Amino acid sequence: MTTATAPPSGPPPVIGAPHTYTSVTDKIAGIVLTQRTGRGWLFGFMLGLALLGLLALAVTMLLYLGIGIWGVNVPVAWGFAITNFVWWIGIGHAGTLISAILLLLRQEWRQSINRFAEAMTIFAVMCAGLFPILHLGRPQFFYWLTPYPNTMSLWPQFRSPLVWDVFAVSTYFTISLMFWYVGLIPDLATLRDRSQSRIGRVAYGVFALGWRGSARHWQRYEIAYLLLAGLATPLVVSVHTVVSFDFSVAQLPGWHSTIFPPYFVAGAIFSGFAMVIVLAIPLRAAYGLQDLITERHLQNMAKILLVTGLIVAYGYFMEGFMAWYSGNRFERYVQLNRIVGPYGPAYLGCLLCNVALPQLLWLQRVRRSAVALFVVAVFVNIGMWLERFVIVVESLHRDFLPSSWGMYYPTVWDWATLFGSFGIFLTFFFLFIRFIPMISIAEMRMLLEEERGEAAA
Amino acid sequence: MTGPRMWGLVAEFESPDALLAAAHRVREAGYRRIDACVPFPVEGLTEALGFRPTWLPLLVLTGALLGAAGGFFMQWYAMGVWYPLNVGGRPLNSWPMFIPITFELAVLVGGLTAALGMLALNRLPMPYHPLFNVPRFARATQDRFFLAIDARDARFERGATAELLHGLGAAEVSEVAR
């Protein structure tokens, strides 16, 4: 048994307090079923709705007046929309990493954070999916990107990374949703059986699909869950790889680079874990979940943040090195322009947030302090947004011919759409923590059983 | 027998170990139409109940291969046959460019097969099941472990089976109305 006798230097336990099957069920289901709606929740939800309103306004203006209300123009045609798309979709990656890759690696500590990390994935991908569609200029024709029988007898250009992206992102969303829902079914059944109100019983009952925990069902369920994890693992790597192809297949200096796929995937996991930390720390404090999302979780996530941050730093370094080593004057200029050009502060800010600040995580004191970790994670999120901004805008604004150079200045509608997208995320996330158990109850029982088995051994 | 016909018997256990031991004993006693209902997958339970492995992995493999084949065929057909476009003499069947979508469709169809196939093989959604008639059964999704014996089992005999279950340390044995 590690809980009682572990020396103080060992890793803290995955489950803090002495729990039983009954007490974990009571605790997690109670948050949804019996706890009263707190002020903090109401405040957060209202904030989400307000931002959602801002988004509705921004999108209405966009549809009414056209894409000219954004700052985009030739040569910078991608602007905020693509920056936000890449940023949001990157955030989603941590959810899949936690739920799929850590499951395959048998990292049992993942079990108390995977549910809300997966929810985060789904909502982040929803936010991400919005931007390319809005960015189309004529969003009503978005379905032209899909292969469907049409009177024009035309197909999408399957050789284009932009079309790959459509397939990658829609597959990613579908599989993440399936994975999340399959994981939810046993917990929905728990809520159905515990709910005191008829509405609750019917609502949870419908979505629980009549789950009764039959051993025969569990047998297939576990296989299906494992296979979904096995499929989601290469999928999550492929998604940001394909996103990076959007850039690296082009010939633009600063984009045309073979390091992009791995560097994008690492960056995605980096920003995603930062977002999981940003969400987990207030959640565990607000709902008193310190015994289920323990210091061990925070420390492990901090370590992953540090490692992926170092990979990202290596990516930055190699970009600079290859620009110099290639001897290509355009590549060299792009790198120089990054630092001293008009968007220099964005690049330096990105280096500060993504490379310098995460080094604090070498210190155990920082990894152990929830507040410090939260602050570092917020800066990483900002830094990763800046990174994407630099990649998108800085390369576009000055390419080969100085006569085609130009500047991009975001307008108020660019900012409104960016902050508005948080409206989607926050609204859904707050609804999620109010109506769905934010920690997988079934998996917590499994964790208890495993710990009990270890204790007996 | 008066009243509703009986579906079978269900016994409640307090720990996974007790359930596992009982499952072994019930199977040794010759019962075959047995099932357990548990709040989380208990290790060794499938073997104790004598379930055969599921076909699901094979279904998922088939789905993924069909997705890959269909995805590649779609691209090859669209780009090479339906609307061939000669760009600088490059080959029409530019297969490396078709790999990403082929892969995504393999994952998509495979994943959907895994999720929907699991539900279909489990006959879910199934809003009604006789076991739900037992009030205490609500704890099967929470913290108790149930062992159910179908009345259609060849060995099933109301009194004797109930006695057997009691003897195995069941906290409670209930009759399940149909």
Side-chain angles (χ1 to χ4, degrees):
Chain A
M1 189 73 197
T2 48
T3 342
T5 53
S9 61
V14 180
I15 295 184
H19 267 296
T20 63
Y21 307 130
T22 320
S23 70
V24 283
T25 311
D26 281 345
K27 178 153 188 173
I28 304 170
I31 292 173
V32 176
L33 291 174
T34 54
Q35 214 176 78
R36 294 185 54 186
T37 307
R39 283 214 185 142
W41 186 88
L42 262 180
F43 173 76
F45 187 58
M46 289 298 159
L47 181 70
L49 283 183
L51 290 171
L52 196 61
L54 180 68
L55 180 72
L57 178 70
V59 170
T60 310
M61 289 297 285
L62 180 81
L63 297 182
Y64 186 65
L65 291 173
I67 208 138
I69 66 167
W70 288 350
V72 289
N73 209 328
V74 172
V76 184
W78 273 12
F80 265 29
I82 304 303
T83 306
N84 299 344
F85 162 72
V86 180
W87 187 72
W88 274 119
I89 201 133
I91 282 176
H93 279 49
T96 322
L97 183 99
I98 291 170
S99 55
I101 300 182
L102 296 187
L103 175 80
L104 297 182
L105 296 177
R106 295 176 173 270
Q107 294 292 308
E108 55 178 24
W109 58 275
R110 72 176 262 291
Q111 290 176 338
S112 33
I113 51 172
N114 69 337
R115 169 70 47 76
F116 78 83
E118 283 169 44
M120 177 194 83
T121 294
I122 291 168
F123 307 145
V125 176
M126 282 163 60
C127 294
L130 190 70
F131 284 102
I133 291 177
L134 290 178
H135 188 252
L136 289 176
R138 287 183 291 169
Q140 69 273 27
F141 294 133
F142 77 93
Y143 62 91
W144 285 8
L145 288 161
T146 60
Y148 69 103
N150 58 74
T151 52
M152 296 169 280
S153 185
L154 285 173
W155 292 86
Q157 173 55 281
F158 288 124
R159 297 183 187 108
S160 162
L162 301 178
V163 174
W164 302 348
D165 227 13
V166 175
F167 280 85
V169 173
S170 52
T171 300
Y172 185 45
F173 181 72
T174 315
I175 297 297
S176 302
L177 194 66
M178 284 288 146
F179 200 39
W180 188 62
Y181 181 62
V182 166
L184 262 176
I185 292 173
D187 282 5
L188 291 172
T190 304
L191 292 185
R192 171 199 67 202
D193 292 341
R194 288 179 67 95
S195 180
Q196 300 295 319
S197 73
R198 178 153 179 83
I199 299 174
R201 277 200 299 275
V202 172
Y204 289 121
V206 165
F207 288 104
L209 306 177
W211 181 264
R212 59 178 190 277
S214 158
R216 228 178 218 101
H217 291 181
W218 275 118
Q219 182 195 8
R220 297 192 185 104
Y221 175 96
E222 279 202 289
I223 299 257
Y225 201 69
L226 205 61
L227 289 174
L228 275 172
L231 287 165
T233 299
L235 176 67
V236 68
V237 176
S238 85
V239 173
H240 232 60
T241 302
V242 169
V243 169
S244 80
F245 286 161
D246 290 345
F247 300 95
S248 58
V249 169
Q251 291 179 358
L252 210 61
W255 282 8
H256 192 66
S257 158
T258 47
I259 204 168
F260 262 38
Y263 152 60
F264 264 54
V265 172
I269 293 165
F270 183 49
S271 67
F273 262 94
M275 193 59 126
V276 173
I277 291 173
V278 168
L279 295 173
I281 288 175
L283 267 187
R284 72 200 271 269
Y287 289 95
L289 295 171
Q290 283 91 342
D291 49 348
L292 299 177
I293 303 175
T294 63
E295 237 180 54
R296 165 94 164 268
H297 296 96
L298 297 186
Q299 289 193 25
N300 283 0
M301 289 193 283
K303 285 174 190 165
I304 293 182
L305 206 58
L306 182 58
V307 170
T308 48
L310 289 173
I311 302 176
V312 168
Y314 173 78
Y316 296 154
F317 172 74
M318 279 321 275
E319 272 193 320
F321 174 75
M322 289 313 292
W324 167 74
Y325 190 66
S326 67
N328 181 316
R329 59 188 294 204
F330 300 109
E331 289 286 348
R332 282 186 181 180
Y333 178 71
V334 163
Q335 190 59 36
L336 188 70
N337 188 38
R338 269 193 186 147
I339 303 163
V340 296
Y343 297 112
Y347 185 64
L348 297 176
C350 154
L351 290 184
L352 178 74
C353 296
N354 293 349
V355 180
L357 268 178
Q359 303 313 317
L360 288 174
L361 297 172
W362 288 103
L363 303 173
Q364 198 172 42
R365 275 182 59 200
V366 176
R367 291 201 304 271
R368 281 200 168 160
S369 152
V371 179
L373 198 53
F374 181 82
V375 172
V376 170
V378 168
F379 275 104
V380 166
N381 272 316
I382 297 172
M384 284 309 289
W385 188 87
L386 288 172
E387 180 205 299
R388 274 68 178 254
F389 177 82
V390 168
I391 289 174
V392 170
V393 173
E394 199 268 344
S395 289
L396 280 172
H397 94 121
R398 288 182 184 174
D399 62 357
F400 304 97
L401 276 180
S403 61
S404 62
W405 288 0
M407 283 297 289
Y408 164 78
Y409 299 104
T411 65
V412 62
W413 298 112
D414 278 306
W415 290 107
T417 326
L418 168 61
F419 290 116
S421 65
F422 280 92
I424 302 183
F425 186 81
L426 289 178
T427 307
F428 276 102
F429 200 80
F430 277 96
L431 286 174
F432 156 73
I433 56 179
R434 185 70 194 82
F435 293 108
I436 292 173
M438 67 182 107
I439 295 176
S440 169
I441 315 177
E443 293 201 26
M444 290 314 287
R445 296 188 201 110
M446 276 162 74
L447 198 58
L448 279 174
E449 172 69 10
E450 275 163 31
E451 291 210 331
R452 208 180 53 100
E454 277 166 23
Chain B
M1 196 173 85
T2 52
R5 262 174 45 235
M6 204 164 68
W7 176 83
L9 284 169
V10 65
E12 176 183 331
F13 295 90
E14 280 175 7
S15 76
D17 299 338
L19 172 79
L20 263 181
H24 276 294
R25 294 280 297 279
V26 166
R27 225 183 118 72
E28 276 164 22
Y31 292 90
R32 288 295 173 268
R33 284 175 174 270
I34 49 179
D35 195 5
C37 288
V38 285
F40 60 86
V42 175
E43 214 178 311
L45 188 58
T46 344
E47 292 77 20
L49 294 168
F51 294 161
R52 276 189 299 268
T54 159
W55 288 102
L56 193 60
L58 211 59
L59 278 181
V60 174
L61 178 67
T62 316
L65 291 177
L66 281 178
F72 192 88
F73 175 78
M74 171 181 74
Q75 298 177 76
W76 168 81
Y77 184 70
M79 301 282 101
V81 181
W82 181 292
Y83 203 100
L85 202 60
N86 187 337
V87 184
R90 290 185 180 85
L92 290 175
N93 178 22
S94 53
W95 64 269
M97 305 300 271
F98 300 159
I99 296 299
I101 293 181
T102 304
F103 170 76
E104 300 298 340
L105 286 176
V107 171
L108 180 67
V109 181
L112 287 174
T113 315
L116 302 179
M118 182 272 288
L119 294 179
L121 290 175
N122 283 345
R123 309 271 156 84
L124 295 173
M126 190 197 286
Y128 174 76
H129 190 276
L131 280 168
F132 290 135
N133 290 327
V134 180
R136 296 187 66 87
F137 187 72
R139 295 185 75 172
T141 57
Q142 300 177 40
D143 50 3
R144 289 300 159 88
F145 304 82
F146 289 81
L147 185 63
I149 303 182
D150 195 318
R152 286 170 298 174
D153 193 291
R155 297 234 161 195
F156 189 85
E157 212 177 305
R158 198 173 173 182
T161 308
E163 216 164 280
L164 170 75
L165 288 171
H166 272 300
L168 293 174
E172 187 146 331
V173 178
S174 323
E175 294 190 355
V176 184
R178 198 166 253 297

